[in-house]
Amino acid sequence: MSLEQLKLSKPLVSAMTAAGYLSPKEIQAKTMSRILGGQDIIAIGPEGAGKTTTYILGVLMRLKYGFEEAPRALILVPTKEKVIEVMEQFERLNRNQTIRIVGLHADGSMEAQINELTDGVDIVVAVPSRARAVYLKLGLNTNKIQMLIVDDAADMVKLGMQLPINELANSIQKCQHLIFTEVMHDRLDLMIEPFMKLPTTIEVEDLGDSETETHTQLLYHVPNFRTKLNLLNLLLKDAEVFDKVVVFVNTRLTAQTLAKDLFDGKADDVFVYKPLFFDEAGFDAIEDFKAVDEARVLIIANEGLPTLDLSGIPFIFHFELPVQKETYLTRIVKQGDEDVIAITFTTDLELPQVRKIEQAIGKKIEVAELPEDLLVEEVTKASAQKSKLAKEQEENESYHDAAFHKRKESNAKTTNYGIGQKAIMNKKKKHG
């Protein structure tokens, strides 16, 4: 497909070609006609799929002239860095010098930003909290907005930006809404449902050209931290299968808390790697853990962690996903003939990290069905957490008070941990 087939103007085709875009991305081919037609869209695609360029082209096509007093397009992004990135992209592609673009973020003077808006603007690119603050000071006129765009929408939810986004959306009487995100989940749907009008959902996948050989991987999608804990307790009860296990979390405090919560702190085979307190059961070297038969579970914090030799350990759990996907990849990329099962727990808020990992390894991680006897807990503000990190996560989770909703077809469950899975694991043990 050629750029001309996107029905772009000649100046935009020329600008795209000059910027090195010789053909449209899949997401552009699938969404552009709908954007130009004024339809509400939810566009889902991985990092690098071309989402930002897609809506910039759409905005420039729909706003063909400038010199308006009030903005006609409001683009909401999660960070100052993203504001700058989008502004630079507009500068590369916008050949119409009459169209004026203003960026709003917390590092700039609000008074200066309001003055800039008052001078006349066509497109506003903003962090939601700053856009809302400027709006409340009567500095942002939303009466003429024709397009409201929310980019990196899943990141917005993770950062707790639902309130300013909804307030800004509610301030606009009628416009086209475009949502761009790496993943779609229940919390994001809760945020956008009040203002979206019969949207079309378009999803593209770009898993790369090559597939990396990894250990066997299973992904459990759960609603919250407490359900993660219940699931880990449930799986690890089977000591015959899970006879030697490492569990990765992100902080040493979480590791300490998890050790106390597992089996109500009564298990004598659960240990912490480099524990915070001298009287806590733990190991300072992973080789010592491997050598002690009675030590079955070792909880390890990613925080300041050196590279560990995980050879000889048949089960690797990621209770929390590390911040850097490279940390995860070093543990699941297959080295030699050793057979390992890597089991990952994820909530809605961690799904973007999962998608980045899948893109890096060139394949989808198999989604496992939650066990029937798993206690899936509702999240409430009264939920007791024993660590600061768990409390913070609970507060984020309380935004969504439903226990767990049906996932999208693309996230469909494909594996059940039961007799079949146990057989796979037992077979692995016999031949390991």
Side-chain angles (χ1 to χ4, degrees), residues 86-103:
V86 173
M87 297 278 287
E88 291 174 345
Q89 184 77 333
F90 265 113
E91 188 176 341
R92 282 194 292 269
L93 299 180
N94 179 28
R95 296 291 180 91
N96 185 347
Q97 298 303 313
T98 67
I99 291 179
R100 293 156 299 176
I101 307 167
V102 172

Side-chain angles (χ1 to χ4, degrees), residues 366-412:
E366 187 174 4
V367 179
E369 185 176 357
L370 298 178
E372 292 182 0
D373 50 347
L374 171 66
L375 175 60
V376 179
E377 298 197 24
E378 293 189 8
V379 180
T380 65
K381 292 182 179 179
S383 295
Q385 299 290 349
K386 294 184 179 180
S387 73
K388 180 180 178 182
L389 178 66
K391 285 181 180 179
E392 291 173 350
Q393 185 157 354
E394 180 212 358
E395 290 171 0
N396 287 333
E397 300 285 354
S398 67
Y399 179 79
H400 183 199
D401 59 2
F404 196 49
H405 292 284
K406 185 179 178 181
R407 290 193 289 274
K408 294 176 55 204
E409 186 178 346
S410 61
N411 289 332

Side-chain angles (χ1 to χ4, degrees), residues 74-92:
L74 175 60
I75 301 168
L76 300 177
V77 297
T79 64
K80 168 191 171 183
E81 291 72 23
K82 186 69 175 185
V83 170
I84 295 171
E85 177 190 329
V86 173
M87 297 278 287
E88 291 174 345
Q89 184 77 333
F90 265 113
E91 188 176 341
R92 282 194 292 269

Side-chain angles (χ1 to χ4, degrees), residues 110 114 117 128-142 163-164 167-168 171:
M110 186 179 295
I114 291 175
L117 292 171
S129 56
R130 175 49 65 97
R132 174 178 177 265
V134 173
Y135 169 76
L136 293 176
K137 286 185 174 290
L138 305 181
L140 177 61
N141 184 349
T142 60
L163 177 61
E167 286 192 2
L168 290 165
S171 74

Side-chain angles (χ1 to χ4, degrees), residues 172-190:
I172 304 168
Q173 292 185 353
K174 184 179 180 181
C175 76
Q176 178 185 24
H177 304 91
L178 305 177
I179 306 298
F180 290 83
T181 181
E182 290 189 16
V183 296
M184 190 68 194
H185 51 62
D186 293 331
R187 295 182 179 205
L188 176 53
D189 188 57
L190 277 175

